[in-house]
Amino acid sequence: MDIQELRTRNPDHWMRATAIRALALDAVANANSGHTGMPIGMADVATVLFGKHLKFDAKNPQWHDRDRFILSAGHGSMLIYSLLYLCGDPEVTLDEIKNFRQLGAKTAGHPENFLLKAVETTTGPLGQGISNSVGFAMAEEMLRARFGKKLVDHHTYVIAGDGCLMEGVSQEAIAIAGRHELSKLIVFWDNNDITIDGKVSLSDKTDQITRFKSAGWHVQEIDGHDAEAIDAAITAAKKAGKPSMIACKTHIALGHAAQDTSKGHGALTNAEQNTAAKDAWGWTTGPFEVPADVKSWWEEIGTRGAADRSEWEARLAGMSESRQKEFARVMNGEAPKKLSATVKALKKQISETAPKVATRKASEMALEVINPIMPETIGGSADLTGSNNTLTGDMGVFDVGSRKGRYVYWGIREHGMAAAMNGIALHGGLRPYGGTFMAFTDYARPSMRLAALMKVPTVFVMTHDSIGLGEDGPTHQPVEHLAISRATPNTLVFRPADAVETAEAWEIALKQTDTPSVLSLTRQGLPTVRTEHKTANLSEKGAYVLAEAAGKRQVILMATGSEVELALKAREALQAEGIGTRVVSMPCIELFEQQDEAYRRKVLPAGPVRVAVEAAVQFGWDKWLFSERGKRDKGAFVGMPGFGASAPAEVLFEKFGITSDAVVAAAKGLL
């Protein structure tokens, strides 16, 4: 249909959708920055979705049983901002629309979940939103199985573009959703055949319809500007019993001079062309003005969900008091009160029995006592369950016929796993953790970064954390991954020295509400170094004195993980020569940085020489080696000079000079 036919066929719908188009055009032109074409092209789909199907309350955008709307094609952010303003979201005022992409505005260049309550997830990096949505849909299934349909019964709707579907992570997500028959997930594909470089055919010939069908999805193809077809497709998708993809054939920058061109993807700022587009749309009001009758219709849509919310609140109030409290606890992300006592009891047992176990096994030991008291934990692994030790006996497996199961077999999909876990965490009510090898943080990195940016407490269990994994060789031996993880803002990186510190790390990670955690765990067995039980969680300080110097303190040895054992052996040798040596365990450098200066100076006082030992690259350690004195001759690092090699672990540590003898030599060389 051409624009004139669209205008005359359904004039009311046309004007309501054009309010989105006009606001997007004005805001991007005013900012001289942004992406105009997608909001213009997908305005009809969004109008039908919000107008006839989406369950939401604009005044209470975070009530728990709302439908979730995810704009995976986050560059088209003016679509969601226009919708929120039109529907009366109190956070998105007309001034916010006018300040699009400006410093301090909630209407950032890409939708940010921490700026606006109605934005479910931060999108912009293509493919992330559709991959998050799989986690949202899984969370809905899991929580409905636990709390019942009266409290949990909603859909997840996604708008994804050609770019989202080109990103590799989308295939991981599509496959997971199809495998698990996530019938509450509905994806609209903005099929406009345009990318920044030009036609999609420049780089891709994928048959997306066949692709989704082959993964077990219900698929429909429609004209994305036909309101009746859109409505019918959504209705059919809800009944499909599978995840559903609706291929919406659209025109990017519909009605503008840039229609169906790569220029239409970006900022349309030519005043004459923009005026001509509005004329073609039949839009006669001034910039940022919406006719009263159109705005009134949209505001009514924004309030429609208030009745659904009130009915839901009444159903919640009719539940038993204990059930209400438990629902509130998990949805608020609060750890159970029993968590600390449970971890303390485990620590006491470990200190008394002093087992020699790999910290990946110690992690399993911690989960074995934590998972039963935290029914909200959702575990999983990227096809490494037996290596990551992430499954405990009480969890059950999440599957089509077992929605109460709490363990997910993600397959060999590290990126998809991480993105979906973020979606589970963002949905609320569940605490996801998932495992792979530390070296494969590279495959999960974009989603790990977004977890930090979005302030969600996803837990990434990364085992086989050094050359200590041995014969698999340098492809699997992480050397730079600790530094990369530590360099990521708002991320806690734990490298525990033994089973006690591992239990403490889990307690800290599961108490976080806005910070993800990375647990870096060994393959090889480590002795218990915390043989004296302490009720306090010493790892909460990030670093602490594990062994004090006897006599005058001349050396401080700092270590993490498997190298703490080496530091303790080096201390024995140095003390035997009358060199007073303190050992500092640093399981979480980020938490140590958060301590006040007095505590940091107490642990790392000026005066003694310092040696850091870690089976990784030095990057990031200089602050602790040299900052107090500012003299490079008073600090040394014992670690990896580059990549590893294939050999048994003990051979590799000797080969690369990560030994207690090397630590002793480094310390004596500084004195």
Side-chain angles (χ1 to χ4, degrees):
M1 289 184 282
D2 61 23
I3 287 182
Q4 190 57 43
E5 186 178 355
L6 288 168
R7 286 176 57 181
T8 56
R9 179 173 177 175
N10 194 333
D12 288 340
H13 164 82
W14 175 261
M15 292 303 288
R16 293 160 184 166
T18 299
I20 297 171
R21 296 184 173 101
L23 286 169
L25 194 67
D26 291 339
V28 172
N30 191 54
N32 197 34
S33 172
H35 302 80
T36 320
M38 193 282 274
I40 292 175
M42 286 298 282
D44 295 301
V45 171
T47 300
V48 175
L49 174 62
F50 274 64
K52 294 191 174 183
H53 295 275
L54 194 73
K55 180 173 66 173
F56 75 109
D57 180 358
K59 295 290 194 291
N60 293 274
Q62 292 188 326
W63 70 286
H64 297 310
D65 200 35
R66 67 192 179 277
D67 286 341
R68 269 62 171 180
F69 172 65
I70 295 171
L71 187 64
S72 188
H75 57 273
S77 56
M78 269 310 303
L79 178 71
I80 193 169
Y81 300 149
S82 297
L83 288 163
L84 295 178
Y85 163 67
L86 290 167
C87 290
D89 186 303
E91 289 191 305
V92 186
T93 63
L94 189 58
D95 283 340
E96 288 288 349
I97 297 292
K98 291 178 179 179
N99 285 324
F100 174 59
R101 286 186 161 231
Q102 305 309 300
L103 183 64
K106 294 180 181 295
T107 49
H110 294 87
E112 308 288 4
N113 70 303
F114 50 86
L115 293 180
L116 288 170
K117 294 183 178 69
V119 171
E120 301 288 355
T121 180
T122 293
T123 56
L126 294 176
Q128 290 295 320
I130 188 173
S131 304
N132 293 158
S133 75
V134 174
F136 277 88
M138 288 177 123
E140 194 273 345
E141 294 277 5
M142 293 168 177
L143 289 167
R144 178 155 37 91
R146 181 180 177 194
F147 289 103
K149 195 172 181 179
K150 287 184 177 181
L151 291 187
V152 185
D153 185 19
H154 54 264
H155 287 82
T156 299
Y157 295 97
V158 184
I159 289 180
D162 293 300
C164 289
L165 300 190
M166 286 188 196
E167 290 286 356
V169 69
S170 73
Q171 180 58 33
E172 298 183 20
I174 291 164
I176 293 166
R179 166 62 182 81
H180 288 289
E181 300 179 14
L182 302 177
S183 61
K184 296 278 192 171
L185 175 60
I186 299 174
V187 173
F188 302 94
W189 169 32
D190 179 18
N191 179 17
N192 61 40
D193 196 36
I194 292 294
T195 66
I196 292 174
D197 279 351
K199 291 284 188 181
V200 168
S201 59
L202 285 171
S203 58
D204 193 32
K205 62 181 296 183
T206 302
D207 181 343
Q208 299 290 357
I209 303 302
T210 301
R211 177 190 178 200
F212 275 82
K213 284 182 178 178
S214 71
W217 286 57
H218 172 259
V219 180
Q220 302 171 79
E221 296 180 75
I222 62 170
D223 179 342
H225 301 299
D226 184 335
E228 290 77 15
I230 297 165
D231 184 24
I234 298 172
T235 300
K238 288 179 177 178
K239 300 175 182 177
K242 299 178 178 181
S244 186
M245 190 273 269
I246 304 173
C248 306
K249 189 60 184 174
T250 61
H251 295 282
I252 198 168
L254 176 71
H256 193 279
Q259 176 179 320
D260 299 330
T261 70
S262 59
K263 181 173 175 53
H265 171 87
L268 302 179
T269 58
N270 182 287
E272 291 182 4
Q273 291 179 351
N274 288 357
T275 297
K278 287 185 176 181
D279 289 342
W281 298 337
W283 193 259
T284 59
T285 62
F288 299 104
E289 293 180 7
V290 178
D293 61 326
V294 174
K295 185 68 165 74
S296 176
W297 181 86
W298 274 109
E299 288 178 350
E300 184 178 343
I301 294 302
T303 60
R304 182 189 59 201
D308 289 325
R309 178 180 54 79
S310 295
E311 291 172 7
W312 177 85
E313 289 173 345
R315 293 196 296 273
L316 178 62
M319 300 285 179
S320 67
E321 184 177 353
S322 62
R323 197 160 179 79
Q324 288 184 58
K325 285 183 177 180
E326 178 64 2
F327 186 78
R329 182 188 70 78
V330 298
M331 294 307 294
N332 292 333
E334 298 172 4
K337 293 179 180 178
K338 289 189 282 188
L339 177 61
S340 291
T342 299
V343 171
K344 285 174 185 175
L346 176 63
K347 286 166 52 180
K348 188 172 189 296
Q349 176 188 340
I350 294 168
S351 294
E352 289 173 350
T353 58
K356 181 176 182 177
V357 295
T359 51
R360 62 170 176 158
K361 177 62 178 177
S363 173
E364 181 184 53
M365 292 162 57
L367 289 171
E368 282 172 346
V369 298
I370 290 170
N371 281 334
I373 66 163
M374 289 191 73
E376 66 268 33
T377 55
I378 303 298
S381 169
D383 200 52
L384 289 167
T385 295
S387 295
N388 300 147
N389 298 90
T390 41
L391 173 62
T392 59
D394 65 303
M395 301 188 82
V397 176
F398 176 79
D399 209 336
V400 176
S402 179
R403 298 310 201 191
K404 287 186 178 181
R406 295 162 52 200
Y407 193 81
V408 181
Y409 288 106
W410 294 103
I412 307 160
R413 303 183 181 102
E414 295 88 356
H415 196 178
M417 174 182 73
M421 286 198 302
N422 285 346
I424 292 171
L426 286 160
H427 180 281
L430 299 168
R431 300 298 298 255
Y433 68 85
T436 186
F437 288 171
M438 187 73 184
F440 301 150
T441 56
D442 289 337
Y443 286 163
R445 175 64 46 202
S447 294
M448 295 175 72
R449 178 179 186 269
L450 280 174
L453 177 64
M454 293 190 292
K455 305 177 183 179
V456 291
T458 313
V459 181
F460 303 98
V461 181
M462 301 301 182
T463 69
H464 296 59
D465 72 337
S466 74
I467 58 171
L469 68 87
E471 291 87 343
D472 274 337
T475 58
H476 286 51
Q477 292 165 2
V479 293
E480 75 274 33
H481 300 77
L482 279 168
I484 293 170
S485 297
R486 288 167 179 160
T488 306
N490 190 41
T491 300
L492 298 180
V493 182
F494 295 94
R495 190 161 186 256
D498 67 358
V500 174
E501 284 192 357
T502 304
E504 291 182 336
W506 268 112
E507 179 184 5
I508 297 164
L510 292 172
K511 285 183 175 180
Q512 299 305 306
T513 57
D514 56 9
T515 302
S517 298
V518 177
L519 273 62
S520 178
L521 307 172
T522 67
R523 179 194 182 207
Q524 72 273 30
L526 304 181
T528 300
V529 298
R530 287 270 296 279
T531 53
E532 181 184 350
H533 174 60
K534 301 284 186 181
T535 57
N537 187 324
L538 301 185
S539 297
E540 282 185 329
K541 296 285 191 179
Y544 61 93
V545 178
L546 177 62
E548 186 53 282
K552 181 183 178 183
R553 188 190 308 121
Q554 301 179 63
V555 175
I556 297 176
L557 304 180
M558 300 175 286
T560 73
S562 51
E563 287 67 70
V564 172
E565 176 189 7
L566 298 180
L568 289 169
K569 289 180 179 177
R571 175 185 175 275
E572 290 181 12
L574 289 165
Q575 287 289 169
E577 296 185 36
I579 302 171
T581 303
R582 167 186 284 189
V583 173
V584 172
S585 179
M586 300 185 76
C588 184
I589 289 174
E590 296 76 28
L591 288 175
F592 186 56
E593 286 187 290
Q594 293 174 17
Q595 305 309 309
D596 59 36
E597 182 68 14
Y599 179 78
R600 293 201 302 268
R601 286 185 177 276
K602 182 179 178 181
V603 174
L604 297 177
V609 299
R610 300 180 186 179
V611 178
V613 53
E614 186 173 69
V617 296
Q618 183 172 341
F619 192 89
W621 274 100
D622 286 11
K623 178 175 182 178
W624 311 109
L625 286 172
F626 309 120
S627 63
E628 296 292 345
R629 301 177 65 93
K631 295 181 180 179
R632 299 194 65 85
D633 62 346
K634 293 297 181 182
F637 180 76
V638 175
M640 289 297 293
F643 294 114
S646 180
E650 61 274 14
V651 174
L652 292 173
F653 277 99
E654 189 71 35
K655 157 71 176 174
F656 291 105
I658 305 175
T659 64
S660 58
D661 288 344
V663 175
V664 169
K668 291 170 71 174
L670 294 170
L671 291 172

